[in-house]
Amino acid sequence: MRLIIAIILIALLSFAAEYFFSWWSLAVICFGVAIFLRLCFGSAFLAGFLGIFLLWFIVGALRDSANDHVLSSRMAQLFGLSGAIWFLLVASLVGGIVGGFAGWSGAIAGRYLFVNRS
Amino acid sequence: MRRIGSVIIPLFTVVLILLLDRKPSGSLPALGRLLDPVNGWAANATTEGDDLELSLKELKQAVTVWFEERMVPHIHAENASDLYFAQGYLHARFRLWQMEFQTHAAAGRLGEIIGEKWVVDERTKQRKNAILEFDRGQRRKGMIYAAENSLKEMEADARTKQMLDAYTAGVNYYISSLSFRDYPLEYKLMGYAPEPWTNLKCALLLKTMADDLTGYTEDFPLTLLREQLSQAEFEFLFPQRLSESTPVIPEGTRFDVHSLSVPDAADDTVWSQLSQSSLAVRHFSERPDAIGSNSWAISGTHTVCGAPILCNDPHLGLNLPSLWFEMQLQSPEMNVYGVSLPGAPGVIIGFNDSISWGFTNNYRDVKDFYEIEATDRNFYRLDSVLKPFDKRVEIIKIKGKSDYVDTVLYTIHGPICYDTSFPDPLRTGKMFALQWMAHRGTNELLAVQLLNKARDYVSFTGAIMHFQCPAQNMVYADRAGNIAMWGQGQFINKWKDQGRYVMKGNTSATLWGADIPMMENPHVLNPPQGYLASANQIITDSTYPYWYNGYFYDFRAWRINEILKENLPKDVAANMQMQNDVVSVLARHSVSKLAQLASFEDSTILPGTWNHALDAKSNAATNFQLFWAMFYDRLWKETYKNAIAPSPERTMQLLNLDSTANPYYAQMKRAAQEVREVFLDSMGKLKNSGQEWYKVKGTQLTHLARLDAFSYKNLEIGGWGNTINAVKKTHGPSWRMIVEMGKDSIVAWGVYPGGQSGNPGSKHYSTFVDHWVEGQYYRLLFLPNQNNQDNSSIRYVWNLKP
């Protein structure tokens, strides 16, 4: 349950943060959420990865379908991928990896914070 | 272990973010910024097509923009300043990256955004940075110097100053509204940001056009040939005036006024001597025989509707985003429709509610080279005097590297284009200065503005008197029923052969003389033949009093004049067909001769029954085109490998001489025999990949940053540079326009290879490509000049409010 909350929180907060700050503000969110929810390493990575992967995939897919896949097809070609969907997946994967490691880092920081406190 | 992990994981995260946030050298983008759909790529997946209310504070009054489905904007403004502000704003909104990229290229600033690109030089076999060489070349040509000169002129005239200031403000209003998310996609890919627009950038864009159209030169190769050949042979192979040319201004037109007398020719000591130079090198740019254009006008007495018809298709580089942006401009002073250049205000080619006009390039030579005799880097000799060089320090920025500084020396003959540090094509080690009309401060923009407002022939001629460079053949038709043609531009009253070869710069005998008054340029109004045509051929017959040379073409002009004379197109449909004509005059007059010379047993290889059309799917066209190219190359390459070959037109004439009258007959026969086997061999190979002409030709629309994903390749289209539909591999008709100037209404058609949006993420990026390939046209929506429209073609309305 906490994992699902973490994923949703990360996706929503990152979406908002990215609107006002650079793309890597998502890492700060993943990091913070992992601390705040006291996630363990595995959950933190998974929450960061899935939260960002889903966010990037959904935002990309929504804009892409409104655009009739004009741009995603060209981007796929630019990166030598065989179709628009592959581009969406690969792009989201990159975001997911950053999110995952940022979450993991957050969990590590959290452990230090809370271990030190207790 | 855990301790190490607790350091490594955060460290890895930070490094990962840093890596993804910056652009690595090479072609990879900053992946994190780009792949992020919130601010990166997906922000460019646009869905144009909405009504908009925009608040643009700098406007004086409200401006309305109507869009049709094709996203052609029709701007209605209440004053000139608002009109050009809105035009600048819209150009930027649709084409910002292109505008900036083209002007960066013009100014020799590509290194700033691209960095370096190392390639192996074909001649020296040494590695060189091609981007730096390009940037230096632009500076050496004096592109920024030229633009600055014109800017002074344009800003000295209140009419163009207002036009430029308003336009620039409009572009900048858009730029200042952008955050990273809104940047055109190419900025995100290439990792840089738009800088503020300036009036100078408009000037740079216009100078780019001047360079594109008047930059070609044969001064060096012709100098060599003149030294190497006997005078008789030289004149026989490289005639200044090709027999049977059909000039732009019809033969027999009277040239009444000439206020200057042609100066006496200088003696033979004024030419630079190049022959000592290495003869093994050849690096003259290939003749770009598709940077040309067609235009014709047909008098109303000949047309079905009784109105004059004007046709124009300028041939330029085929790129995406397209060079042109289609639009209509309305203000109390004008109602004009046509194509504009993103980066410059006004409509360049088009029509207004009274007149229509079109351009083809006028290839008179306005670019000459002088060998400079310098004592050191400070002085050069002119007559018996030592004159100091002016120095212009060009600082070339290179991304990620330190600046490259090139000090360009300026002489009375212009900038030193070539010296030991930037060698000439022959690598003579000598210093050559470039005297070029494009260096002058000129105000073509005023001509554009006045053309856009012109009401009749008198105001048309008044307008074009400000159009100095690049010289253009300007075709004209109006609703009163007149047609006209001007070979317009600023020219020098030259003595015979002046500037045809590289001249010595140490004598004032070679200096450019007086300007020919522009009213004395060749022109004709309502000729008895009832039509006029230009296709980059020679401008006049030999009765024109002033001397000129140039780089003229004849095949298209021959074909156009043939059709106009024998089968005049009387309506719009026939003119559309004519603009898409792919009959090769060269093929018609050489295919059977070549078959004979090569003695092909198989009569289907170069068939006598072929209609000589270079149709997209024709196999015969492929055979002919390939065989001709091989034959032509073999024929002249041995003899003239150090220079240019006789023109294809002249070669065709020789081919058609009786074998006894043709001194080159044996050579031709040998060339045809020699390429026979190679030709048959390559035909065999083509059997697998496809023999149709369009497949072999491979016409493409190339994205300006040469990204394949944003380009269109192997378009199924016929033609070649020497047919009316002059589609080569990377050049072709950049805008096809047909206008019927009726007394009651104006009916106009047009198409260009591209789309209104410069964004590869927009469906309007390439909307017109299929139509263009198929030879189809759009009916142009010419709205009346009023602030309310009820036309059913209008899809979207943008209200721009102060």
Side-chain angles (χ1 to χ4, degrees):
Chain A
M1 191 59 205
R2 209 150 47 133
L3 181 64
I4 293 173
I5 291 172
I7 291 170
I8 293 171
L9 213 55
I10 283 174
L12 290 179
L13 288 177
S14 295
F15 183 59
E18 280 199 53
Y19 247 97
F20 298 102
F21 305 104
S22 182
W23 70 279
W24 54 265
S25 57
L26 65 87
V28 179
I29 299 294
C30 294
F31 188 87
V33 168
I35 297 178
F36 181 72
L37 292 180
R38 300 191 183 192
L39 298 178
C40 68
F41 291 178
S43 315
F45 182 86
L46 212 58
F49 180 85
L50 287 177
I52 301 303
F53 182 88
L54 288 174
L55 170 68
W56 278 26
F57 189 82
I58 290 168
V59 172
L62 284 176
R63 289 188 175 170
D64 179 48
S65 78
N67 177 245
D68 291 332
H69 317 292
V70 170
L71 184 53
S72 58
S73 313
R74 294 204 168 112
M75 293 304 285
Q77 207 188 329
L78 194 66
F79 284 91
L81 300 167
S82 56
I85 185 70
W86 287 107
F87 172 73
L88 275 173
L89 285 171
V90 168
S92 309
L93 192 71
V94 171
I97 290 170
V98 175
F101 278 96
W104 190 352
S105 304
I108 291 170
R111 180 157 299 182
Y112 274 92
L113 278 174
F114 301 126
V115 167
N116 289 349
R117 242 181 243 167
S118 58
Chain B
M1 187 63 214
R2 178 175 288 178
R3 217 167 263 264
I4 298 172
S6 60
V7 176
I8 285 180
I9 297 300
L11 199 66
F12 175 77
T13 312
V14 171
V15 171
L16 185 66
I17 290 171
L18 287 177
L19 282 179
L20 292 175
D21 193 50
R22 72 183 53 183
K23 184 182 170 348
S25 60
S27 58
L28 263 183
L31 283 174
R33 289 166 175 244
L34 178 72
L35 297 180
D36 162 30
V38 180
N39 304 306
W41 72 277
N44 299 85
T46 49
T47 51
E48 284 103 347
D50 278 315
D51 291 343
L52 283 179
E53 300 283 327
L54 289 165
S55 166
L56 307 181
K57 284 188 216 75
E58 292 184 35
L59 288 176
K60 295 186 177 75
Q61 287 159 284
V63 170
T64 313
V65 187
W66 300 282
F67 286 92
E68 334 153 42
E69 190 60 44
R70 298 194 296 126
M71 290 310 279
V72 175
H74 304 254
I75 306 177
H76 183 88
E78 301 301 335
N79 62 73
S81 166
D82 281 354
L83 179 68
Y84 294 121
F85 181 91
Q87 190 187 16
Y89 180 83
L90 286 168
H91 272 171
R93 201 171 160 121
F94 283 81
R95 299 288 187 84
L96 176 62
W97 175 78
Q98 164 193 15
M99 290 163 63
E100 201 181 70
F101 188 79
Q102 287 175 339
T103 47
H104 270 53
R109 291 180 56 195
L110 287 187
E112 257 176 72
I113 51 175
I114 297 176
E116 299 177 311
K117 186 177 167 194
W118 290 90
V119 296
V120 174
D121 188 295
E122 280 175 31
R123 286 175 295 162
T124 59
K125 306 292 173 210
Q126 284 169 344
R127 270 161 53 83
K128 62 174 186 187
N129 176 2
I131 303 289
L132 179 61
E133 191 166 283
F134 174 84
D135 284 348
R136 282 188 75 192
Q138 296 296 92
R139 313 285 180 120
R140 287 286 180 134
K141 273 191 272 192
M143 291 297 285
I144 307 179
Y145 163 75
E148 286 170 356
N149 289 342
S150 276
L151 184 63
K152 274 186 216 127
E153 288 299 310
M154 293 192 284
E155 293 194 331
D157 189 301
R159 292 165 292 183
T160 38
K161 167 102 170 104
Q162 182 202 37
M163 189 182 187
L164 280 171
D165 286 349
Y167 181 86
T168 294
V171 176
N172 282 330
Y173 197 92
Y174 179 69
I175 293 176
S176 62
S177 74
L178 302 180
S179 61
F180 176 79
R181 184 187 309 146
D182 316 303
Y183 287 176
L185 187 63
E186 289 89 344
Y187 289 106
K188 298 178 184 176
L189 284 169
M190 297 165 77
Y192 69 110
E195 63 181 23
W197 189 259
T198 58
N199 290 354
L200 178 67
K201 286 173 184 276
C202 296
L204 279 164
L205 183 79
L206 296 170
K207 290 300 179 189
T208 290
M209 296 306 295
D211 183 31
D212 204 24
L213 296 167
T214 69
Y216 180 74
T217 171
E218 292 181 352
D219 293 15
F220 282 90
L222 284 174
T223 306
L224 271 185
L225 286 166
R226 191 180 157 279
E227 287 170 14
Q228 291 171 0
L229 303 181
S230 72
Q231 194 186 345
E233 187 177 17
F234 182 58
E235 280 171 13
F236 183 73
L237 290 175
F238 300 90
Q240 292 201 29
R241 176 176 291 281
L242 196 74
S243 58
E244 297 163 53
S245 276
T246 48
V248 172
I249 304 302
E251 276 178 340
T253 303
R254 284 191 53 196
F255 302 106
D256 299 329
V257 202
H258 54 288
S259 54
L260 308 175
S261 55
V262 177
D264 292 334
D267 60 40
D268 245 10
T269 61
V270 298
W271 310 118
S272 171
Q273 301 292 315
L274 301 177
S275 56
Q276 304 92 328
S277 59
S278 160
L279 292 180
V281 289
R282 180 191 176 184
H283 188 65
F284 299 110
S285 47
E286 294 286 322
R287 207 170 176 208
D289 61 340
I291 300 191
S293 310
N294 307 315
S295 76
W296 57 89
I298 300 164
S299 157
T301 54
H302 290 318
T303 61
V304 173
C305 61
I309 295 179
L310 178 139
C311 303
N312 186 207
D313 56 297
H315 313 153
L316 294 161
L318 297 176
N319 289 310
L320 289 171
S322 165
L323 189 71
W324 299 113
F325 183 76
E326 205 177 321
M327 59 200 318
Q328 181 174 5
L329 303 178
Q330 296 184 343
S331 75
E333 295 172 296
M334 69 175 81
N335 184 13
V336 59
Y337 189 111
V339 281
S340 61
L341 290 169
V347 166
I348 309 291
I349 292 175
F351 56 94
N352 63 26
D353 43 19
S354 308
I355 72 154
S356 59
W357 73 97
F359 293 160
T360 64
N361 201 24
N362 173 308
Y363 269 104
R364 280 170 77 166
D365 182 10
V366 293
K367 185 177 179 183
D368 295 336
F369 287 93
Y370 290 84
E371 181 185 341
I372 300 300
E373 188 187 334
T375 54
D376 50 28
R377 296 280 293 172
N378 296 311
F379 293 96
Y380 65 98
R381 207 174 292 280
L382 183 73
D383 297 330
S384 53
V385 192
L386 284 185
K387 301 201 69 138
F389 287 115
D390 287 330
K391 292 181 182 176
R392 189 184 159 102
V393 178
E394 298 282 358
I395 297 167
I396 301 173
K397 294 201 173 80
I398 303 168
K399 192 177 178 180
K401 294 278 155 85
S402 49
D403 295 351
Y404 184 96
V405 180
D406 197 4
T407 304
V408 183
L409 307 176
Y410 278 69
T411 69
I412 192 169
H413 307 291
I416 299 289
C417 196
Y418 302 122
D419 56 21
T420 45
S421 115
F422 196 77
D424 64 84
L426 292 167
R427 306 204 157 241
T428 57
K430 295 178 176 180
M431 264 188 179
F432 295 104
L434 169 63
Q435 176 80 270
W436 189 16
M437 192 56 78
H439 286 145
R440 287 204 185 172
T442 56
N443 195 352
E444 286 70 36
L445 213 49
L446 181 58
V448 169
Q449 185 189 109
L450 296 176
L451 265 177
N452 290 181
K453 297 177 190 171
R455 316 227 50 94
D456 49 28
Y457 182 68
V458 173
S459 45
F460 165 78
T461 49
I464 65 173
M465 289 309 139
H466 301 283
F467 205 106
Q468 294 180 269
C469 185
Q472 298 292 301
N473 299 317
M474 301 187 173
V475 65
Y476 169 92
D478 66 24
R479 293 176 85 171
N482 300 302
I483 61 169
M485 181 79 81
W486 277 77
Q488 189 65 352
Q490 182 63 64
F491 302 105
I492 299 296
N493 183 20
K494 290 181 172 180
W495 35 268
K496 184 176 177 298
D497 286 349
Q498 186 179 13
R500 193 172 186 224
Y501 319 105
V502 180
M503 293 175 283
K504 282 188 180 156
N506 61 1
T507 161
S508 50
T510 56
L511 282 170
W512 272 11
D515 291 358
I516 298 174
M518 287 173 76
M519 283 302 288
E520 298 177 16
N521 280 335
H523 61 274
V524 61
L525 172 68
N526 298 324
Q529 64 186 28
Y531 61 83
L532 286 163
S534 76
N536 318 109
Q537 75 274 43
I538 200 159
I539 315 300
T540 59
D541 64 17
S542 56
T543 63
Y544 183 61
Y546 295 107
W547 181 85
Y548 63 93
N549 70 317
Y551 309 112
F552 304 115
Y553 304 85
D554 287 280
F555 289 123
R556 281 178 287 110
W558 279 330
R559 176 64 179 160
I560 290 168
N561 277 297
E562 170 188 82
I563 297 177
L564 290 174
K565 193 172 176 184
E566 290 165 14
N567 193 13
L568 189 117
K570 293 181 175 6
D571 58 15
V572 166
N575 280 284
M576 288 176 177
Q577 199 187 345
M578 185 165 158
Q579 279 188 335
N580 287 280
D581 180 272
V582 290
V583 168
S584 165
V585 173
L586 173 66
R588 185 197 295 160
H589 293 291
S590 52
V591 67
S592 55
K593 297 276 175 192
L594 290 176
Q596 212 179 328
L597 287 179
S599 35
F600 287 119
E601 295 85 18
D602 184 350
S603 63
T604 61
I605 297 176
L606 296 176
T609 52
W610 174 43
N611 62 2
H612 314 112
L614 305 182
D615 287 319
K617 293 193 173 171
S618 165
N619 289 357
T622 303
N623 289 3
F624 171 75
Q625 290 289 94
L626 273 189
F627 190 80
W628 169 265
M630 289 177 176
F631 166 77
Y632 180 75
D633 196 53
R634 176 63 61 97
L635 175 62
W636 300 124
K637 200 174 166 186
E638 295 303 314
T639 326
Y640 301 113
K641 66 183 171 199
N642 304 313
I644 43 164
S647 69
E649 286 91 337
R650 185 66 189 139
T651 308
M652 181 190 86
Q653 288 181 337
L654 298 179
L655 199 57
N656 282 280
L657 286 179
D658 195 60
S659 63
T660 51
N662 179 3
Y664 298 89
Y665 179 78
Q667 197 172 328
M668 288 180 156
K669 174 112 185 148
R670 195 166 58 239
Q673 293 284 340
E674 277 171 5
V675 295
R676 195 188 127 97
E677 291 312 313
V678 194
F679 168 76
L680 291 173
D681 197 40
S682 51
M683 293 319 299
K685 284 180 192 147
L686 279 179
K687 288 238 159 62
N688 303 320
S689 58
Q691 266 183 295
E692 293 108 311
W693 171 229
Y694 80 92
K695 288 186 180 163
V696 177
K697 179 169 68 151
T699 296
Q700 57 187 38
L701 307 174
T702 316
H703 182 264
L704 280 175
R706 310 213 180 287
L707 299 169
D708 280 354
F710 302 162
S711 305
Y712 282 73
K713 297 200 159 183
N714 292 317
L715 298 174
E716 196 182 311
I717 187 166
W720 190 240
N722 56 15
T723 63
I724 299 179
N725 189 12
V727 185
K728 289 185 78 179
K729 190 176 163 78
T730 58
H731 287 81
S734 61
W735 162 244
R736 295 192 191 110
M737 178 181 82
I738 297 173
V739 194
E740 206 176 69
M741 296 299 288
K743 279 203 170 58
D744 304 320
S745 70
I746 295 172
V747 181
W749 303 79
V751 67
Y752 72 84
Q756 289 288 86
S757 173
N759 174 15
S762 162
K763 66 177 176 188
H764 296 288
Y765 176 66
S766 56
T767 353
F768 312 151
V769 174
D770 290 346
H771 252 50
W772 178 81
V773 167
E774 291 158 10
Q776 306 285 321
Y777 292 74
Y778 296 100
R779 171 80 189 261
L780 307 181
L781 175 65
F782 187 56
L783 295 171
N785 195 354
Q786 56 198 42
N787 55 18
N788 273 305
Q789 308 285 349
D790 60 346
N791 192 296
S792 62
S793 296
I794 295 171
R795 282 284 185 286
Y796 321 108
V797 184
W798 290 9
N799 289 309
L800 317 184
K801 301 241 165 74

